[in-house]
């Protein structure tokens, strides 16, 4: 992707201009939706020549994408700091395709114990059935610890920082050094850190995003992306996506392009509101701990401060150990402004229980009290605090 003339400008400016034809044109501001399956060629020779460019931004068949996909690819590269991007139909597809691109029968994969549940499920079901072994490691591992976990047949070190339920921040630079020293690819789920964490500066080979979240921003699309910084990795990921028949709807890509135009202001507003809510909760007597990397009380706060330029609006809450899971359910059930549902990054606030819903095998994720996860949307913070106050009041009944 060539450097755009706005490439040195601020994030909000880049999100306003990336993936567009420019401002000195005659036409609509937004690129149109291009839908199609069959691509026509003027003659047989040009079709034959086009096959060699099928993994570039060149139309050969609908499953290889079209102009709407290409525009979104360019925007995501701009966000992630990569050179090539593959748009996929869901966030989970963006997890699965790179894993299957770099792993085969007899290989070994390392995944953090805090990994997104469906990614764990992929590793323990299909990947295991295909002869790929996965070891789940403590996400707070250091460089020597990671080096000790890598086997001769380890091909992929998967990371997710922070963990999307328990928010452990990983030392991605240290993990990448250990992995690359042994010839492993480093994959990272960077959804929480979108914009605020630049993966390729820390040694990541493939950065995975659930575009369903902040890029979409309105809880009405499903999309994912896998961004790379080398042509070799792009060919591996893009060919795997093509072989698996992975495809993203151009209509969803168009909605993602629309969502990204306001992402900078949403991300900032929701990050600030989330931190305000987290601080309020941390001061409550019912709360044992708030799992928010931007709080000084977080165990990996120094690591977050070193590597991230900001925060998003997703974090965890640990109640005091005197409360039960049923008590925590009662708090969540009583909330009037927080929906109970999966995903996050939309305009609406959410709260879901995490105690009783996590799968762990490396002894992580126990914080000594029942936990739930909060996503702060675009509602007024005083309204959210009032709702949380009445919810916590149920613990005294």
């Amino acid at each position: 992707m060539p450097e755009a003339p706005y490439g040195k400008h601020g994030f909000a400016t880049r999100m306003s201009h990336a993936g567009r034809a420019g401002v000195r044109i005659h036409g609509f501001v937004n690129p149109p939706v291009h839908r199609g399956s069959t691509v026509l060629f003027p003659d047989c020779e040009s079709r034959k020549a086009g096959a060699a460019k099928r993994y570039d931004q060149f139309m050969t068949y609908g499953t290889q994408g079209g102009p709407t996909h290409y525009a979104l690819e360019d925007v995501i590269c701009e966000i992630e700091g990569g050179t090539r991007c593959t748009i996929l139909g869901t966030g989970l597809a963006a997890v699965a395709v790179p894993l299957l691109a770099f792993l085969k029968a007899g290989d070994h994969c390392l995944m953090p114990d805090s990994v997104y549940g469906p990614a764990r499920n992929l590793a323990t079901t299909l990947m295991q059935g295909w002869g790929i072994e996965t070891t789940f490691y403590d996400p707070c591992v250091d460089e020597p610890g990671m080096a000790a976990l890598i086997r001769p047949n380890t091909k992929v070190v998967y990371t997710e920082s922070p963990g999307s339920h328990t928010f452990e921040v990983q030392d991605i630079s240290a993990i990448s050094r250990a992995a690359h020293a042994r010839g492993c690819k480093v994959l990272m789920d960077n959804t929480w850190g979108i914009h605020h964490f630049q993966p390729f500066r820390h040694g990541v080979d493939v950065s995975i995003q659930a575009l369903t979240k902040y890029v979409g921003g309105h809880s009405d699309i499903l999309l994912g992306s896998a961004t790379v910084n080398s042509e070799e990795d792009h060919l591996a990921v893009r060919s795997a996506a093509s072989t698996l028949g992975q495809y993203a709807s151009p209509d969803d890509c168009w909605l993602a392009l629309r969502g990204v135009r306001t992402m900078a202001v949403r991300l900032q507003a929701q990050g600030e509101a989330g931190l305000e809510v987290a601080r309020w909760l941390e001061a409550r007597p019912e709360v044992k701990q708030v799992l928010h990397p931007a709080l000084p009380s977080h165990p990996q706060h120094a690591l977050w401060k070193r590597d991230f330029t900001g925060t998003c609006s997703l974090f965890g809450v640990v109640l005091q150990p005197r409360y039960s899971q049923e008590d925590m359910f009662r708090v969540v059930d009583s909330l009037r402004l927080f929906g109970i549902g999966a995903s996050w990054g939309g305009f609406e606030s959410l709260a879901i229980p995490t105690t009783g819903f996590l799968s762990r095998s490396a002894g992580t994720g126990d914080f000594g009290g029942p936990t739930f996860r909060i996503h702060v949307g675009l509602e007024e913070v005083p309204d959210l605090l009032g709702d949380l106050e009445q919810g916590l009041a149920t613990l005294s009944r």
Side-chain angles (χ1 to χ4, degrees), residues 226-297:
T227 305
V228 301
N229 207 30
S230 78
E231 192 64 20
E232 177 187 1
D233 290 340
H234 172 67
L235 291 175
V237 172
R238 194 69 154 228
S239 64
S242 179
T243 301
L244 292 167
Q246 285 292 334
Y247 176 71
S249 159
D251 294 84
D252 283 352
C253 290
W254 188 89
L255 286 170
L257 284 167
R258 187 175 69 172
V260 83
R261 305 309 179 193
T262 62
M263 190 181 78
V265 292
R266 288 187 285 104
L267 191 60
Q268 180 177 350
Q270 290 178 252
E272 291 172 356
L275 194 52
E276 187 175 345
V277 172
R279 288 175 178 141
W280 183 88
L281 283 164
E282 192 173 42
R284 294 289 303 197
E286 305 92 344
V287 173
K288 178 178 183 287
Q289 184 181 1
V290 176
L291 306 174
H292 194 310
L295 293 175
S297 58

Side-chain angles (χ1 to χ4, degrees), residues 6-355:
Y6 47 79
K8 304 301 182 185
H9 294 317
F11 181 59
T13 301
R14 290 185 282 125
M15 291 304 94
S16 295
H17 289 266
R20 289 170 50 199
V23 296
R24 294 293 181 262
I25 62 164
H26 176 255
F28 291 124
V29 169
N30 293 313
V33 181
H34 291 263
R35 305 181 188 90
S37 54
T38 299
V39 174
L40 298 178
F41 294 83
D43 52 55
C44 294
E45 192 59 40
S46 61
R47 183 172 184 267
K48 178 182 177 182
K53 298 186 284 186
R54 66 189 182 280
Y55 300 147
D56 297 328
Q57 291 182 338
F58 180 83
M59 290 192 297
T60 57
Y61 188 68
T63 54
Q64 303 300 325
T68 313
H69 298 87
Y70 305 156
L72 184 58
E73 289 171 7
D74 290 348
V75 174
I76 302 307
C77 282
E78 187 71 31
I79 296 171
E80 295 273 68
T83 57
R84 303 296 294 271
C85 175
T86 298
I87 303 297
L88 298 147
T90 66
L92 181 55
V95 172
V97 167
L99 283 169
L100 300 179
F102 295 110
L103 291 165
K104 65 181 186 306
D107 287 345
H108 176 242
C109 176
L110 287 164
M111 276 189 175
D113 206 29
S114 55
V115 72
Y116 173 55
R120 177 186 287 267
N121 184 61
L122 173 67
T124 58
T125 56
L126 290 179
M127 285 168 54
Q128 182 177 342
W130 293 333
I132 301 166
E133 184 183 0
T134 302
T135 298
F136 296 96
Y137 64 89
D138 186 331
C140 299
V141 68
D142 59 11
E143 187 171 349
M146 174 54 66
L149 291 169
I150 296 173
R151 306 175 186 175
N153 64 332
T154 305
K155 301 301 179 184
V156 166
V157 175
Y158 193 91
T159 62
E160 180 181 318
S161 182
S164 61
H165 282 289
T166 47
F167 303 97
E168 298 92 342
V169 179
Q170 296 195 264
D171 191 338
I172 301 298
S173 295
I175 290 171
S176 295
R177 286 194 299 269
H180 290 156
R182 300 286 293 274
C184 303
K185 292 292 183 182
V186 178
L187 277 53
M188 180 184 183
D189 184 334
N190 189 37
T191 305
W192 192 97
I194 190 167
H195 166 55
H196 292 307
F197 184 88
Q198 291 296 294
F200 303 108
R201 297 177 187 174
H202 297 270
V204 172
D205 296 300
V206 183
S207 184
I208 294 158
Q209 286 286 345
L211 305 181
T212 305
K213 311 297 196 287
Y214 286 106
V215 172
H218 294 78
S219 301
D220 55 6
I221 63 170
L222 293 167
L223 277 179
S225 65
T227 305
V228 301
N229 207 30
S230 78
E231 192 64 20
E232 177 187 1
D233 290 340
H234 172 67
L235 291 175
V237 172
R238 194 69 154 228
S239 64
S242 179
T243 301
L244 292 167
Q246 285 292 334
Y247 176 71
S249 159
D251 294 84
D252 283 352
C253 290
W254 188 89
L255 286 170
L257 284 167
R258 187 175 69 172
V260 83
R261 305 309 179 193
T262 62
M263 190 181 78
V265 292
R266 288 187 285 104
L267 191 60
Q268 180 177 350
Q270 290 178 252
E272 291 172 356
L275 194 52
E276 187 175 345
V277 172
R279 288 175 178 141
W280 183 88
L281 283 164
E282 192 173 42
R284 294 289 303 197
E286 305 92 344
V287 173
K288 178 178 183 287
Q289 184 181 1
V290 176
L291 306 174
H292 194 310
L295 293 175
S297 58
H298 189 278
Q300 293 91 46
H301 175 70
L303 199 56
W304 170 84
K305 194 172 182 180
R306 184 194 76 182
D307 292 346
F308 288 74
T309 59
T311 180
C312 81
S313 55
L314 187 76
F315 60 91
V317 181
V318 184
L319 295 178
Q320 296 287 357
R322 63 179 177 272
Y323 300 119
S324 66
Q325 184 185 57
E326 291 70 27
D327 293 328
M328 179 264 291
F329 278 16
R330 192 165 66 251
V331 172
V332 174
D333 284 342
S334 71
L335 297 175
R336 297 159 186 161
L337 296 177
F338 292 79
I340 302 173
S343 199
W344 44 278
F347 62 87
E348 79 287 6
S349 291
L350 300 169
I352 58 169
T354 47
T355 294

